[in-house]
Amino acid sequence: MISIKGLHKRFGKLHVLKGIDAFIREQEVVVIIGPSGSGKSTLLRCINFLEEPSDGEIVVDGIPLSGEANINKVRTEVGMVFQRFNLFPHMTVQENITLAPLKVRNMSKAEADKVALDLLAKVGLSDKANAYPDQLSGGQQQRVAIARALAMRPKVMLFDEPTSALDPEMIKEVLDVMKTLANEGMTMVVVTHEMGFAREVGDRVIFMDEGRIVEEGTPEAFFTGAKEERTKAFLSKIL
Amino acid sequence: MNFNFDLVVRSFPLLLAGAVVTIKITLLSVGFGLIIGMFVGMAKLSKIRLVKVLATMYVDFIRGTPLLVQIFLIYFALPMVLGKRIDPFIAAITACSVNSGAYVAEIFRAGIQSIDKGQMEAGRSLGMSWAQTMRYIILPQAFKRIIPPLGNEFIAMLKDSSLVSVIGFEELTRRGQLIIARTYGSFEIWLTVAFIYLIMTFTISRLVDYLERRYKIDDKH
């Protein structure tokens, strides 16, 4: 589904990604963990070209990422959920969800509205269709953001620390939605600090540090039998 | 010194007609200026170097030269290139629009930049183009934020439009000059002219205050 080869990213002199090779299979849930500054968010943002790779090759669903035309095509297949939700504050929840299907997929208004209401039911916010984002709690906003991304019927969903900006009691409602998605067979790449989620939902865990993939494996193998010293040190601090 | 109140009363209709012309110039100029400024403001943020350089040159030139000189350039210098005279009304509107466009461009640039960059990222990540994201997400939010500076620009243009009197275009200031040429009532007429400008700018600034407050209540919607 996603193949990454020799990916480098530099911000000026700062070398953030130092040669990443990774492959994400269809229906796989890959959790990326690592200390802050390890490049995990940057890696995620490179997958839908929010950051332009300095070097290397990314192929998403058979489409190589290059040039503006390709990028928009890939982005319609790749949903993204941000740490800070990034809902459109001047639009209602329903308008947030229907905008891209209307403008990019050229869906009819009736069809888009139906998709939006179905998705809102799915994330448990049917009663909030006409609310504005600032009238919702953080957890609710993030669930709307997930619904918004899903409305494009993406083949892959990217989650960039989706629960990091939430109050503790709201984390579960967002993780539950993500769990449901994973169980339905959505291909997901999740950058998170939620080790419980990684363990329970992840098919594979990737540990990154200083712009490189240090270690990867199934959650079980990873959390109980990490091989690298750097991984062990990290795990000992957070578990 | 006697204050000739009768002169004020007699001249008032003429001056008011001039004020209407002043409002017309201002509306048209700021209107065109808005269109110019919106595109130039976006161009200043463009990643395409040439577009950005051209936009920056335009803004720098307009802001770095007096409006009076710009009016002369368009009314007196441009006809030499074109080989024909330019109607004072066209010249006045063109000069003021091009002038206003540069200031509005800076207002738009600041307004667009004040929108969290996550908004652009969210739009782009949904597969919308840069232009679509600008149109549906960034500009509607930016526009609400720039209402106060746009109001100030409108007031500034209303006052600065008095400069087009130098090319003989009959707006409020020029009307005043013409009446004085006939009646020698400098004191009465200039005072009246000033008062009419004040009424106009005061009304607009109250209107802008009202809009600003209204948008503050439902800040984001």
Side-chain angles (χ1 to χ4, degrees):
Chain A
M1 179 60 75
I2 302 173
S3 124
I4 300 165
K5 278 189 198 127
L7 175 66
H8 284 264
K9 176 65 187 174
R10 295 179 190 85
F11 294 104
K13 278 187 177 162
L14 198 63
H15 200 167
V16 182
L17 295 178
K18 301 167 184 166
I20 302 283
D21 295 288
F23 191 84
I24 288 141
R25 278 172 282 277
E26 210 167 320
Q27 303 214 332
E28 194 178 23
V29 177
V30 175
V31 179
I32 304 175
I33 62 173
S36 54
S38 58
K40 48 196 196 308
S41 282
T42 307
L43 171 60
L44 202 67
R45 291 160 60 83
C46 279
I47 295 176
N48 70 351
F49 240 66
L50 283 180
E51 302 293 354
E52 198 176 331
S54 308
D55 198 10
E57 178 183 295
I58 301 176
V59 180
V60 177
D61 196 28
I63 311 167
L65 273 179
S66 59
E68 189 73 11
N70 253 343
I71 291 166
N72 280 342
K73 201 163 170 230
V74 166
R75 280 175 177 154
T76 59
E77 309 299 338
V78 180
M80 177 122 182
V81 174
F82 300 86
Q83 181 177 356
R84 305 221 35 95
F85 330 135
N86 295 348
L87 292 179
F88 309 134
H90 59 304
M91 294 179 177
T92 63
V93 163
Q94 186 163 347
E95 288 165 347
N96 262 277
I97 300 172
T98 56
L99 181 67
L102 288 173
K103 302 301 172 194
V104 181
R105 291 262 194 248
N106 291 318
M107 246 183 229
S108 72
K109 178 89 171 66
E111 201 184 344
D113 282 341
K114 189 178 176 305
V115 169
L117 293 176
D118 287 350
L119 285 170
L120 281 176
K122 183 173 177 161
V123 299
L125 291 170
S126 292
D127 54 332
K128 299 292 185 191
N130 295 314
Y132 283 92
D134 63 354
Q135 296 165 332
L136 305 180
S137 71
Q140 290 172 329
Q141 288 192 49
Q142 193 60 299
R143 285 188 278 156
V144 171
I146 293 172
R148 179 176 70 178
L150 289 174
M152 290 297 286
R153 305 214 181 289
K155 294 182 175 146
V156 187
M157 285 283 282
L158 309 177
F159 291 86
D160 188 5
E161 302 198 21
T163 56
S164 298
L166 297 176
D167 290 340
E169 70 265 33
M170 289 168 186
I171 290 174
K172 188 173 175 296
E173 64 190 54
V174 172
L175 292 180
D176 284 347
V177 169
M178 291 168 63
K179 245 177 254 176
T180 312
L181 266 184
N183 291 337
E184 288 170 1
M186 176 62 82
T187 310
M188 292 163 61
V189 184
V190 185
V191 170
T192 188
H193 297 297
E194 295 296 325
M195 295 304 144
F197 178 85
R199 217 171 225 173
E200 190 183 338
V201 185
D203 295 315
R204 189 149 52 100
V205 177
I206 291 177
F207 175 67
M208 282 181 72
D209 190 33
E210 291 178 355
R212 289 192 178 85
I213 292 179
V214 176
E215 187 164 358
E216 59 182 297
T218 62
E220 211 182 75
F222 182 84
F223 285 109
T224 52
K227 292 179 195 76
E228 301 289 330
E229 280 311 314
R230 185 66 192 87
T231 317
K232 285 181 201 162
F234 179 75
L235 289 175
S236 72
K237 273 180 212 148
I238 56 160
L239 291 179
Chain B
M1 200 194 105
N2 288 327
F3 189 89
N4 187 348
F5 200 76
D6 188 47
L7 176 61
V8 172
V9 172
R10 272 187 293 120
S11 313
F12 208 69
L14 275 174
L15 289 174
L16 272 190
V20 170
V21 177
T22 288
I23 289 173
K24 212 157 96 182
I25 305 176
T26 309
L27 276 175
L28 280 170
S29 302
V30 177
F32 288 128
L34 267 178
I35 298 167
I36 298 171
M38 189 172 83
F39 286 105
V40 175
M42 289 192 283
K44 280 202 79 169
L45 297 170
S46 173
K47 282 192 183 130
I48 305 164
R49 226 184 120 68
L50 181 68
V51 172
K52 188 177 175 153
V53 167
L54 287 175
T56 306
M57 278 169 57
Y58 161 66
V59 172
D60 285 349
F61 177 79
I62 296 297
R63 299 211 307 174
T65 54
L67 175 57
L68 187 59
V69 174
Q70 292 162 17
I71 293 168
F72 287 156
L73 272 174
I74 285 177
Y75 189 62
F76 296 116
L78 195 58
M80 297 189 152
V81 182
L82 298 178
K84 61 177 180 199
R85 282 197 66 221
I86 298 179
D87 178 72
F89 181 72
I90 304 285
I93 297 294
T94 307
C96 290
S97 300
V98 168
N99 180 273
S100 191
Y103 288 92
V104 174
E106 283 300 286
I107 295 172
F108 262 102
R109 182 194 53 73
I112 290 168
Q113 280 182 321
S114 78
I115 304 297
D116 180 45
K117 81 182 201 333
Q119 293 286 306
M120 178 56 89
E121 290 183 349
R124 298 309 302 275
S125 77
L126 288 165
M128 290 198 280
S129 65
W130 182 88
Q132 283 177 322
T133 311
M134 261 295 160
R135 179 170 161 203
Y136 297 110
I137 297 164
I138 309 295
L139 287 178
Q141 294 182 61
F143 203 76
K144 278 173 197 167
R145 292 199 190 170
I146 63 177
I147 286 173
L150 282 180
N152 290 337
E153 167 59 19
F154 195 88
I155 290 170
M157 185 42 68
L158 190 114
K159 293 184 292 179
D160 290 349
S161 70
S162 66
L163 286 170
V164 302
S165 61
V166 297
I167 56 171
F169 187 68
E170 285 195 34
E171 38 65 76
L172 178 54
T173 302
R174 181 68 182 161
R175 282 282 166 95
Q177 283 176 335
L178 292 173
I179 294 169
I180 291 164
R182 266 192 291 114
T183 63
Y184 302 103
S186 282
F187 184 68
E188 291 87 347
I189 297 301
W190 284 133
L191 203 63
T192 311
V193 166
F195 182 70
I196 295 175
Y197 274 114
L198 182 64
I199 295 290
M200 292 194 289
T201 54
F202 185 79
T203 310
I204 296 163
S205 75
R206 282 299 95 94
L207 196 72
V208 172
D209 281 353
Y210 166 76
L211 286 175
E212 197 181 345
R213 247 178 302 124
R214 219 191 83 177
Y215 280 121
K216 206 154 249 162
I217 292 167
D218 53 0
D219 191 14
K220 286 159 179 175
H221 316 156

